[in-house]
Amino acid sequence: IFVMIEYIMDIKIRPMTINDYPQVHEVDILTQKQYLGKKFDQMSEKEQNFHLVSRKSEFQTNVDTGYCFVAENKEKIVGFILAYETLPFRETLYIRYIGVNPELQDKGVGLMLCQKLIEKAKQAGITKIWSLINTDNPQSIKLHEKIGFKLNDRKEAILDI
């Protein structure tokens, strides 16, 4: 436990910038390979791009939301969260994706990213955060439950803040 706490102390959470694209993309690929297994490597580039959330053409849009953050360890991005305010339903955020380098999962990085998002959301007057969770992703389910999300049918998760 001490090693984990010591490691987490080195993690810094900060707003995502356009310059983060290469490293966020790298973490995105790692998490998709973890989730999809060998199937990911066998896909065409177009099919892979479909599964990736860090598409270059959409990256600036993500950054501009103001609700996207990265987790850094010694200037290396090890995790990220993509979220945006849903329109026209003001006061609600949607978490599009939480990605953490598989080597660092279950070490509090995802929790830190979510805590930063919740802090920013509260400051902005957001009252609800909504997320979709794949039912075959137990790590995501565990993370959302730990934060306090109410899971509906293990697919939709809602957090009143």
Side-chain angles (χ1 to χ4, degrees):
I1 293 175
F2 178 74
V3 174
M4 181 180 86
I5 291 169
E6 183 179 311
Y7 184 79
I8 288 174
M9 288 183 189
D10 290 341
I11 300 288
K12 305 279 187 272
I13 307 297
R14 64 166 176 79
M16 186 181 287
T17 70
I18 193 67
N19 295 329
D20 295 327
Y21 173 76
Q23 291 188 60
V24 167
H25 189 66
E26 183 180 317
V27 172
D28 188 13
I29 289 170
L30 290 173
T31 61
Q32 292 303 327
K33 284 183 175 187
Q34 177 191 30
Y35 182 67
L36 295 169
K38 293 178 182 178
K39 204 162 63 170
F40 185 82
D41 290 326
Q42 296 166 351
M43 293 178 180
S44 69
E45 187 176 336
K46 184 177 180 178
E47 290 170 318
Q48 287 179 351
N49 248 349
F50 175 79
H51 288 280
L52 295 171
V53 295
S54 62
R55 295 178 200 99
K56 193 165 192 162
S57 61
E58 300 170 8
F59 200 75
Q60 184 67 54
T61 302
N62 287 316
V63 169
D64 290 346
T65 70
Y67 293 104
C68 296
F69 298 93
V70 295
E72 269 185 333
N73 182 41
K74 298 179 178 124
E75 299 183 25
K76 177 152 177 64
I77 292 174
V78 296
F80 66 96
I81 188 167
L82 303 178
Y84 58 89
E85 190 172 3
T86 58
L87 299 175
F89 308 107
R90 299 255 178 222
E91 301 177 359
T92 301
L93 273 185
Y94 173 71
I95 296 176
R96 182 170 177 215
Y97 195 78
I98 304 167
V100 176
N101 183 318
E103 293 177 8
L104 301 176
Q105 290 174 2
D106 294 324
K107 294 189 174 32
V109 177
L111 182 63
M112 292 172 70
L113 285 162
C114 289
Q115 288 170 333
K116 185 67 172 179
L117 177 67
I118 292 166
E119 175 188 317
K120 166 92 185 221
K122 285 181 177 179
Q123 292 170 354
I126 300 295
T127 59
K128 189 176 298 261
I129 299 176
W130 186 70
S131 182
L132 290 179
I133 303 169
N134 289 332
T135 55
D136 59 351
N137 190 339
Q139 289 174 303
S140 182
I141 291 168
K142 182 177 155 187
L143 173 63
H144 283 80
E145 286 178 333
K146 184 183 279 188
I147 294 164
F149 278 84
K150 303 295 179 246
L151 298 167
N152 300 332
D153 300 325
R154 295 270 186 225
K155 182 74 171 156
E156 178 184 75
I158 299 171
L159 178 67
D160 291 314
I161 58 173

